[in-house]
Amino acid sequence: MRNKIIPYNPKLKEYARTLRKNSTLSEILLWQQIKQRALGVQFHRQIPLLEYIVDFYCHELQLAIEIDGSSHDHKYDYDAKRAGQLEKWGVNIMRFSDNDVKKQMPNVLCAIQEKVNQLLENTPKVPSRGHATDDVNQPIFTFPKKEKLTNKRVFETLFSEGSSLRRFPLQLRYLKVSPAEEGNSKVAFSAPKRNFKSAVERNRIKRLVREAYRLNKPMIFNNIEGNFAFLFLYLGKKKPVYSEVEQAMKQLLKDFLRKESHEKNY
């Protein structure tokens, strides 16, 4: 989808640069968690829109994130007017307090990720050559329930009989299944509990890997025959960066296609 251009006062550009160089602690903390497509989309800092500057902005989704410090305690009317003007241009605004970011970061990230996923699902995609398409010729970038791997027996067979490929920090286990068994290719994602004790953190990692798969899965569905069960496992011990995850995902899918093509020819 082409990003919608929202006009802004060019006099704000220099002030925006100053704000980036003098970020508050809460802005720095949140930026470390959402930069480099960590949530599946690209955010930028201190972006001028109309006559205002928003703390973080995703052009792709028209999603603005604002962190309210104590200076906002007596600016309700101004903030409401500001939000109203931006919303007229289609900007979605999320607000968090300075205290939320500092003390409840997992909850903040979950809320942002849920909003990102919601907006991605509702964002129309432009068909492009080489992408898998559905019945109305739209690219298949969604991840519907019918593609989720939930069959326990197939899970067990994946580990006992499935093949394996690695591209750090990801591992792919896969197994060809019969149409009668699964109906269509199924996918699951896993993050190790031994490395990430928090369920919130494990879910965030799985969402990250799922997003990398969702955006690159046409690579598979345009080039394979039959149905497969896929399991993507995150092998890293540190919190992932989206760019690294997506690069590993692309390499894994290419490795899988090469291997399947070789076995098919022989």
Side-chain angles (χ1 to χ4, degrees):
M1 179 181 179
R2 182 176 298 174
N3 297 336
K4 181 178 180 179
I5 298 176
I6 298 177
Y8 65 90
N9 185 340
K11 295 181 180 180
L12 294 174
K13 290 181 68 175
E14 188 60 37
Y15 184 44
R17 292 192 189 99
T18 301
L19 291 176
R20 291 187 201 110
K21 295 177 181 178
N22 298 276
S23 300
T24 65
L25 176 58
S26 55
E27 289 170 351
I28 294 172
L29 292 174
L30 184 57
W31 179 240
Q32 291 301 316
Q33 298 295 324
I34 67 174
K35 67 180 181 179
Q36 298 178 326
R37 299 183 65 89
L39 301 183
V41 292
Q42 184 68 54
F43 281 96
H44 299 273
R45 295 184 296 160
Q46 304 299 338
I47 300 300
L49 299 174
L50 303 180
E51 297 292 332
Y52 314 105
I53 295 177
V54 297
D55 293 332
F56 304 99
Y57 188 64
C58 172
H59 293 82
E60 177 185 352
L61 301 178
Q62 291 184 256
L63 174 60
I65 300 174
E66 294 278 66
I67 301 177
D68 296 340
S70 58
S71 63
H72 286 259
D73 289 348
H74 304 289
K75 296 171 63 177
Y76 302 114
D77 292 340
Y78 171 79
D79 285 343
K81 177 182 177 182
R82 185 174 187 262
Q85 292 295 323
L86 291 171
E87 287 169 354
K88 287 180 181 179
W89 283 83
V91 177
N92 300 276
I93 302 174
M94 299 187 73
R95 310 193 77 94
F96 300 97
S97 71
D98 182 81
N99 193 57
D100 286 340
V101 173
K102 291 177 180 177
K103 296 185 178 180
Q104 300 184 45
M105 181 66 80
N107 293 337
V108 170
L109 292 175
C110 279
I112 297 173
Q113 184 71 74
E114 288 177 3
K115 186 66 173 180
V116 166
N117 291 344
Q118 175 192 342
L119 292 175
L120 283 171
E121 290 293 330
N122 294 331
T123 300
K125 305 293 181 179
V126 178
S128 60
R129 186 177 300 174
H131 284 172
T133 57
D134 59 16
D135 293 338
V136 292
N137 296 319
Q138 293 294 319
I140 302 176
F141 285 104
T142 59
F143 185 64
K145 287 184 178 181
K146 66 181 182 180
E147 292 183 16
K148 295 180 180 179
L149 177 59
T150 57
N151 189 309
K152 184 177 180 181
R153 184 179 61 79
V154 175
F155 264 110
E156 294 172 349
T157 309
L158 261 174
F159 284 97
S160 62
E161 301 177 16
S163 300
S164 177
L165 294 168
R166 288 193 181 199
R167 287 282 185 168
F168 192 82
L170 299 180
Q171 178 184 11
L172 167 62
R173 298 197 68 87
Y174 64 95
L175 176 72
K176 194 164 188 177
V177 295
S178 66
E181 191 170 29
E182 279 297 303
N184 54 280
S185 293
K186 306 282 187 177
V187 190
F189 308 91
S190 177
K193 189 174 182 178
R194 65 179 179 276
N195 294 336
F196 301 94
K197 305 300 182 184
S198 168
V200 171
E201 188 60 36
R202 292 197 301 275
N203 288 335
R204 176 183 174 275
I205 293 171
K206 286 188 285 187
R207 285 196 299 267
L208 208 65
V209 179
R210 183 179 64 204
E211 186 68 10
Y213 170 78
R214 183 182 72 82
L215 294 175
N216 291 282
K217 70 176 186 175
M219 189 185 304
I220 286 185
F221 291 107
N222 280 348
N223 296 286
I224 63 171
E225 296 179 2
N227 299 316
F228 287 82
F230 297 104
L231 174 61
F232 291 94
L233 301 100
Y234 181 73
L235 304 177
K237 295 183 179 180
K238 298 180 180 179
K239 295 179 181 179
V241 175
Y242 180 79
S243 59
E244 296 176 354
V245 171
E246 185 173 39
Q247 182 179 3
M249 176 64 70
K250 289 179 179 178
Q251 290 299 323
L252 273 179
L253 297 182
K254 289 178 182 177
D255 292 346
F256 165 75
L257 290 174
R258 278 196 294 266
K259 189 171 182 181
E260 282 302 300
S261 176
H262 176 78
E263 292 181 356
K264 181 180 178 180
N265 292 332
Y266 291 91

